[in-house]
């Protein structure tokens, strides 16, 4: 269905009537669920699209716009089970605009209609539900939802549980009757806690069920118990619906876990006041002054509203919060712009649905509904088994999302999603997409719970936590689980390791999990540097998804997408020479060539490529600089390893453990045999020229920034070669700091501590001739 007015001219009256009827039906059904059952059957953008389309049809064919059209009414549920009350003054909705142009147009029109300069009050559009608090002589007599704008549902009892809602107003001189309007909402932080509690309640419900079954000697059906717990304590999909349900629930009828949930939910509700009704002659002249007065009476006012003197200022406010939407304590779906002067409210008036003196500008949606097709488990480089959601492709925040990680089995449980659910998918700004939770109302009974597999999906080894208390499950078959080998080989080629351009994700998969031949060239990374053209040319591979490792299927043919990355057909010239068979592709030649070059790359790169836990580029550089060879690292004690700047006990243990494993040693032996150089040529050995006699004996030097004539490692090596200690941070024990361009906090710290600072030329003198050859400090400073 189109969501705007584009194809309107083509509609005949009959077609328009039919479409209007269908739209109305859908809208009413969605409203009923939204206002009556606190669930969204469709996402807001879809709902707003239907409303806009209906409005456009009614504009083109005014005879279709009856008083009972959703475009003419304030949204409410069809019927309610709660007692109701008539508001003293009608509660309205707000008209919406969806673009800056429309907002400017609205403001210009309002300004023209006012016939004088308008001051604007800009506020955040709080994503909650409207409440009407009726105070008589300063005492709360009722609290009610908006309902259809005339009659609302009575929620006084629950409202009084909110710390934000005073039963008696502070101060004096309160009007005989005033209706205070505001928004009840759940702050983002409280919402997260609330969902954590729901997950906890689900666990406890299952545990209670198990106990009950055991005490009666009956069998316990875990799956069934889980499903029932998910139904009783669902994950809330968004704060708006959770707030609405929280305010409208009948707490007195609940007990046990349900009561606990209900009280927590109502306890998380907050209020910001944003309007008034039925107040004869308020003693102030502007909406912003109303807020000040209400605040004096003890009512909670949002800290965000701002009075703007011009439309441009209004637009700047809109832009600011478009970018800072997520630093606000509550969810917001837009900005409300109001004419500040109260006299103008009366002059401008209202339609049956909304005031003409205010407008809601809506930001683009960050949440959409889509279908959760499956939950699949992928295994990564370190063996961690991660469930992720496979969804029907959804457009959100400017991109198409198909997958989102679910982290681990506990997160899946906490979110309460079932396979087959319609789910709420959120993508805010640059943040990675997240499945928030299910749309419970859309379930039809065919959904099923996700069960974390007991075995690794790639090698069949039973999954288990590696340490006690670990939530993540891992495949313990580190040596030859194809997923882990693939991940490690890819890591070896990455920028932070051996930086082999031809060894990326696809090549890693081709070498470890090819379709042809059946026996892959690499079972572990041990044979990596022995690879030959003969081995790789025959390889055929099914392309896998970058994020998940799933085999990619061609959407047209339904078959796997296959590649033979390492071969090409012979050219005519080659055929003439009798070379009939497939020839190595440029990719194949490049891979072999780059592997050859990688054998003598810097030691730290080789260390990173060994995939030792916690040994990334930073630790690897520290180790390489200090020890100078893999043999020296292997020979070092725990204390010596942990004592190296930038290493520490965790990395030391991880190194020691790594060297204990047979197949790790096999990697080293094979690589060495293939010509891999595990040392820095010319390195003086662990620590420095320890025997003494160097020009820097007993001195500690820090090199920072880029020093002409030295690489980062080169400077450190020069210090150590001269018998000095190359430290990475400046302290009172530091004797010299050599600082070049780009030196940052270390330089500042040296200045602060009064440590002598050297430039590149002076550093060169220091490491070659010693401190005695330096010019006196004062002279150096002057120069
Ligand atoms: N997804 C669905 O199925 C579904 C169904 C119905 C409605 N909706 C959503 O609700 C919207 C319609 O609801 P509506 O009629 O309440 O209109 P609205 O939410 O667009 O705007 C009106 C309401 O905004 C609230 N508000 C928040 N901050 C405010 C502030 N600072 N000042 C004044 N008012 C403020 C008030 O409660 C007011 O009643 C739709 O646009 C859609 O986003 C969704
Ligand atoms: Zn495995």
């Amino acid at each position: 269905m189109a969501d705007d007015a584009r194809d309107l001219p083509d509609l005949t009256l009959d077609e328009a009537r039919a479409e209007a009827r269908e739209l109305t039906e859908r809208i009413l059904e969605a409203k009923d669920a939204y206002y009556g059952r606190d669930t969204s059957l469709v996402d807001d953008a879809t709902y707003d699209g239907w409303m806009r389309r209906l409005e456009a049809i009614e504009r083109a064919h005014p005879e279709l716009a009856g008083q009972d059209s959703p475009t003419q009414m304030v949204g409410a549920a069809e019927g309610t089970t709660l007692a109701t009350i008539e508001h003293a003054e009608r509660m309205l909705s707000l008209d919406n605009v969806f673009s800056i142009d429309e907002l400017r147009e609205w403001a210009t029109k309002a300004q023209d209609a006012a016939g004088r300069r308008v001051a604007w009050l800009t506020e955040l559009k709080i994503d909650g539900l409207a409440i009407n608090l009726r105070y008589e002589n300063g005492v709360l007599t009722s609290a009610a939802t908006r309902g259809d704008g005339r009659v609302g549902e009575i929620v006084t009892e629950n409202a009084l549980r909110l710390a934000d809602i005073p039963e008696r107003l502070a101060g004096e001189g309160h009007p005989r009757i005033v209706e205070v309007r505001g928004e009840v909402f759940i702050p983002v932080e409280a919402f997260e806690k609330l969902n954590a509690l729901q997950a906890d309640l689900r666990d406890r419900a299952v545990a209670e069920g198990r106990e009950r079954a055991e005490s009666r000697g009956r069998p316990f059906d875990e799956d069934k118990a889980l499903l029932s717990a998910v139904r009783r304590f669902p994950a809330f999909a968004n704060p708006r619906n959770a707030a609405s349900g929280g305010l409208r629930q009948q707490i007195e009828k609940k007990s046990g876990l349900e009561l606990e949930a209900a009280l927590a939910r109502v306890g998380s509700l907050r209020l910001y006041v944003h309007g008034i009704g039925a107040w004869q002659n308020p003693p102030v002249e502007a909406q912003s002054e109303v807020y000040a007065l209400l605040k004096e009476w003890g009512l909670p006012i949002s800290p965000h509203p701002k009075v703007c003197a011009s439309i441009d200022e209004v637009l700047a406010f809109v832009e600011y919060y478009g970018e800072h939407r997520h630093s606000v304590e509550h969810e917001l779906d837009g900005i409300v712009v109001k004419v500040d002067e109260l006299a103008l409210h009366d002059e401008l008036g209202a339609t049956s649905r909304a005031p003409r003196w205010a407008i809601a500008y809506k930001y683009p949606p960050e949440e959409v509904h889509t279908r959760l097709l499956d939950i699949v488990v992928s295994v990564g480089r370190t063996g961690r088994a991660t469930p992720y959601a496979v969804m029907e492709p959804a457009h959100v925040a400017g991109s198409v999302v198909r997958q989102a990680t679910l982290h681990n089995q506990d997160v899946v449980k906490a979110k309460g999603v079932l396979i087959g659910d319609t789910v709420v998918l959120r993508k805010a700004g640059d943040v990675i997409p997240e499945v928030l939770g299910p749309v419970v109302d859309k379930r039809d009974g065919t959904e099923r719970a996700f069960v974390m597999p007991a075995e690794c999906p790639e090698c069949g080894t039973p999954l288990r936590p590696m340490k006690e208390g670990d939530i993540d499950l891992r495949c313990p078959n580190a040596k030859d689980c194809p997923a882990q080998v693939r991940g490690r080989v890819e890591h070896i080629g990455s920028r932070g390791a051996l930086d082999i351009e031809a060894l990326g994700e696809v090549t890693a998969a081709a070498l470890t999990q090819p379709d042809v031949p059946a026996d892959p060239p690499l079972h572990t990374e041990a044979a990596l540097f022995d690879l030959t053209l003969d081995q790789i040319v025959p390889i055929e591979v099914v392309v896998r998804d970058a994020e998940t490792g799933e085999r990619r299927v061609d959407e047209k043919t339904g078959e796997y997408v296959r590649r033979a990355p390492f071969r090409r057909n012979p050219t005519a010239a080659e055929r003439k020479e009798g070379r009939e068979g497939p020839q190595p592709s440029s990719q194949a030649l490049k891979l072999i060539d780059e592997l050859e070059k990688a054998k003598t790359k810097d030691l730290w790169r080789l260390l990173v490529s060994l995939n030792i836990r916690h040994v990334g580029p930073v630790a690897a550089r520290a180790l390489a600089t200090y020890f100078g060879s893999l043999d020296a690292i292997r020979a070092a004690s725990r204390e010596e390893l942990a004592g190296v700047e930038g290493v520490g006990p965790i990395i030391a243990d991880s190194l020691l453990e790594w060297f204990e494993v047979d197949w790790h040693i096999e990697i080293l032996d094979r690589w060495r045999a293939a010509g891999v150089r595990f040392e820095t040529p010319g390195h003086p050995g662990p620590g420095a020229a320890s025997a003494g006699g160097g020009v820097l004996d007993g001195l500690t030097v820090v090199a920072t920034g880029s020093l002409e004539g030295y690489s980062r490692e080169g400077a450190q090596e020069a210090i150590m070669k001269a018998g000095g200690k190359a430290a990475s941070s400046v302290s009172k024990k530091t004797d010299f700091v050599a600082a070049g361009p780009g030196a940052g906090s270390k330089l500042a710290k040296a200045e602060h501590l009064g440590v002598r600072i050297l430039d590149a030329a002076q550093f060169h003198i220091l490491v070659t001739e010693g401190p005695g050859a330096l010019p006196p400090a004062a002279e150096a400073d002057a120069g």
Side-chain angles (χ1 to χ4, degrees), residues 35 42 44 48 93 123-126 146 183 338 362:
Y35 296 109
V42 294
D44 288 352
D48 289 340
S93 178
E123 303 178 16
L124 304 189
K125 187 166 184 299
I126 306 149
R146 192 180 67 186
E183 203 77 359
K338 299 172 182 174
K362 291 229 178 160

Side-chain angles (χ1 to χ4, degrees), residues 38 40 127-128 184-202 233-246 261 264-270 326 328-332 367 414-416 424-426 434-438:
D38 313 308
S40 304
D127 210 0
V184 170
F185 63 95
I186 299 180
V188 177
E189 234 184 275
F191 179 69
E192 276 160 20
K193 284 201 190 121
L194 202 59
N195 261 345
L197 176 68
Q198 292 290 103
D200 184 46
L201 289 167
R202 286 197 289 276
F233 306 107
F236 301 117
N238 63 57
R240 173 339 177 153
N241 290 350
S244 177
R265 196 165 169 194
V266 81
S268 69
L269 298 175
R270 299 281 317 272
H326 302 290
V328 175
E329 67 279 15
H330 57 76
E331 295 233 311
L332 56 134
E367 282 173 23
K415 293 196 185 280
V424 182
L425 172 69
R426 179 183 181 85
E434 185 192 359
V435 173
L436 294 183

Side-chain angles (χ1 to χ4, degrees), residues 250-272:
Q250 284 166 286
I251 296 181
E252 63 287 354
K253 293 188 181 163
K254 300 183 195 269
S255 64
L257 297 181
E258 264 82 5
L259 179 62
E260 188 179 339
L263 290 176
R265 196 165 169 194
V266 81
S268 69
L269 298 175
R270 299 281 317 272
L271 168 77
Y272 281 151

Side-chain angles (χ1 to χ4, degrees), residues 77 109 163 194 204 234 271 283 329 353 380 387 420 485 520 670 678 726 734:
K109 261 195 204 151
L194 202 59
R204 282 154 61 192
L271 168 77
E329 67 279 15
R353 220 192 130 254
V485 179
R670 292 278 302 264
F678 282 112
T734 310

Side-chain angles (χ1 to χ4, degrees), residues 379 456 458-461 475 477 481-482 484:
V379 173
C456 171
E458 301 233 21
C459 74
T461 310
C475 166
N477 177 20
C481 170
Q484 295 183 58

